[in-house]
Amino acid sequence: MAFDIEMIKKLYANFPSAIEQARKVVGKPLTLTEKILYAHLWGETPKLPFERGNSYVDFAPDRVAMQDATAQMALLQFMQSGRTKVAVPSTVHCDHLIEAKVNSATDLNRAVSESSEVYDFLASVSNKYGIGFWKPGAGIIHQVVLENYAFPGGMMIGTDSHTVNAGGLGMIAIGVGGADACDVMAGLPWELKMPKLIGIKLTGKLNGWAAPKDVILKVAGILTVKGGTGAVVEYFGEGAVSMSCTGKGTICNMGAEIGATTSTFGYDESMSRYLRATGRLQIAVMADEIRPHLTGDPEVYNSPELYFDQVIEINLDDLEPHLNGPFTPDLATPISKMKEAAAANNWPTKIEVGLIGSCTNSSYEDISRAVSLAKQVTDKGLKLTAEFTITPGSEQVRYTIERDGFLKIFDEIGATVFANACGPCIGMWARVGAEKAERNTIVHSFNRNFAKRADGNPNTFAFVGSPEIVTAMAIAGTLNFNPLTDSLMNDKGEMVKLDPPTGFELPSKGFAVDDPGFEPPAEDGSNVQVLVSPESKRLQLLDPFPEWDGDDLKGLKLLIKAKGKCTTDHISMAGPWLKFRGHLDNISNNMLIGAVNFFNDKTDFVKNQLTGEYGAVPKTQRAYKAAGIGTIVVGDENYGEGSSREHAAMEPRHLGVRAVLVKSFARIHETNLKKQGMLALTFDNKNDYDKFREDDTVDIIRLKTFAPNKKIKLVLKHHDGTRDEILVNHTYNKQQIEWFKAGAALNIIRKEFEKSKA
């Protein structure tokens, strides 16, 4: 469907002049990223270019998208802003609360029953404030956005880290916390540090078993989970042009796994084809008219080293399929090396389950290529050796692949089709036997594979691959199988090889759907009542966080010194906790329960300095809060990696944590902490991490002179009477310091709106 045509018309009408102005300011040819960013500035174009990696810039995004788990808190915050309607087109997508257990129909019906009060709240608040509502079963937010809302040259933010998926249609699409979304929906600018630029030149063309997924798996191996932090990744070259639009979306989607702000591709014929196929002919025609402005300037792509901060070149002709993992998405292994790597690392080689779909790989093309392999199971006398599941990305995709016979082929080989939802990709998987915590291996086409991510079992070794490779591995049932070279024994005792996958970029008969699942909001929502029960265990209206009292923070207790990887999954787990995403106090009972305590190598087991006893992190923190004592959390590198969930920032704030001090932050989490009025600090000397002891009391001083680029001092008071003084850094600008002083960014929004009404 086509939405917001008038908004897109207006943007495109001004695009050429905005690009020309930007080109004069920058003084050289422009990348696509620069074109989109400068075309979406809040206010006038500056006289001097912004400094990449340093300048904070205010932007005016075109739209906001929210998934049901994060939308609850985002909209609860928006309700505090005092506004009566969202200022930009916004949508809510119900995709996170549907648990994969039996099959699509059974699981969807159970979710609608169990989460009815959440869905009723989201439907009513959307209806009241002018927000489009996509019902449970309509599809995964990122696939639905790609099919209906993404457009070349646009800029959007979304309350999910994989919002970046929309880069497949030439957008700058960025994952944010709910407080950022609240700002934009309230009509305020959105702030972002001007990103650095990484250019990835794709030469050649994918062939055989190689898929777009293998491009980002390769890139993840090169850049690691931190290599894209603070940067936009822009893909270009003949290899980029030769790829499908949804293939580009897959690559952009997993850009979140390298820490990138977002990823994008220049507008080309594949995007035009996709727009037309998804009922957006008018947008395709408009984009065609300004095509040169919707891609990087030719000079940029001819001499990329002059325009990007880093350039990587990948020859698609030679690209080998990869499996990345386990436990991290950047451990990249070419399929030809997997047998050797599994043996060297003692990975379980028997594959228990293969899972395809999710927001990353659930397009018509993905499913069609996987089904070409599933068909060979029957045709060549083979059988599935592992369990096999399919998660369609949207009702439109599901309906179309059913019409075209794909689901029948999957059914014939014993596969299970789950609901059009996130499901196992975010831990919403009721996997039988996972509670036994046995060592086992799964392969999937999702984006993340952190420990416990899919099924809650810390001993599940999850490997990420393309849908084609996952399907082949599920047929073979072992990590030792290389479908490019190895054969399998069929039911006649013959050795047969799988033919390389084939598929269709778009359905030859076009997409079809009976009910896409969309509900438009009321024209006038003034009389619509938002449904929140005071007795609800799942929804809780918010109270503002208190303002800073103007003094240094003294007498803070060390709550936990987290060891190693501490993602947002460790700080605020998903899975069964998703049901509390709209109830801040209840979900705070999962705060940091997955973080490893440096002092005992255990999770959810820290020392309560008031009693000397060890216990759960949330319980210990609540004891400090009851005693009126603030705390500090200390962490390692890339703290807060992973999902955009702001609960990982709101829970510590709610329970009385005053500061988080780490070696380095993941971008979204650092911003989320700032938005909630927390101190987000980094070590000036990373070795100072070692100075923290289990019984430490900490003073944070120099806050009365809190200023941009000015270091803050910490005094560590040890139990034996000794002390250490260390310096720490921060990235707060003047506006963000005001957030801290006000107690939260939202407090400022509300006050400004109240002043405007006075």
Side-chain angles (χ1 to χ4, degrees), residues 52 196-200 222-223 227-228 231-232 234 236 304-305 307-312:
R52 297 179 193 169
K196 293 185 177 181
L197 300 180
I198 298 175
I200 299 186
I222 296 170
L223 290 175
V232 172
E234 185 171 324
F236 62 94
E305 66 282 354
Y307 302 95
F308 292 97
D309 299 290
Q310 181 180 358
V311 178
I312 297 170

Side-chain angles (χ1 to χ4, degrees), residues 217 220-221 224-225 322-334 338 341 345 347 449 463-464:
L217 295 179
T224 77
V225 293
H322 281 60
L323 278 176
N324 283 25
F327 306 127
T328 184
D330 60 352
L331 182 56
T333 305
M338 179 51 70
N345 292 283
W347 295 333
N449 58 348
F463 294 85
V464 182

Side-chain angles (χ1 to χ4, degrees), residues 154-206:
M155 184 180 194
M156 68 174 286
I157 60 171
T159 60
D160 189 287
S161 54
H162 293 105
T163 299
V164 294
N165 189 83
L169 249 176
M171 291 194 87
I172 292 293
I174 301 174
V176 299
D180 279 352
C182 182
D183 285 359
V184 175
M185 289 189 293
L188 299 178
W190 176 63
E191 182 186 74
L192 178 72
K193 186 180 285 187
M194 195 67 173
K196 293 185 177 181
L197 300 180
I198 298 175
I200 299 186
K201 182 178 182 179
L202 302 179
T203 61
K205 186 177 182 180
L206 293 169

Side-chain angles (χ1 to χ4, degrees), residues 117-118 532-540 579 582-583 586:
E117 66 174 316
V118 173
V532 179
S533 168
E535 289 78 37
S536 175
K537 302 298 183 185
R538 298 190 62 175
L539 294 164
Q540 179 187 49
K579 60 179 174 285
H583 198 294
N586 282 346

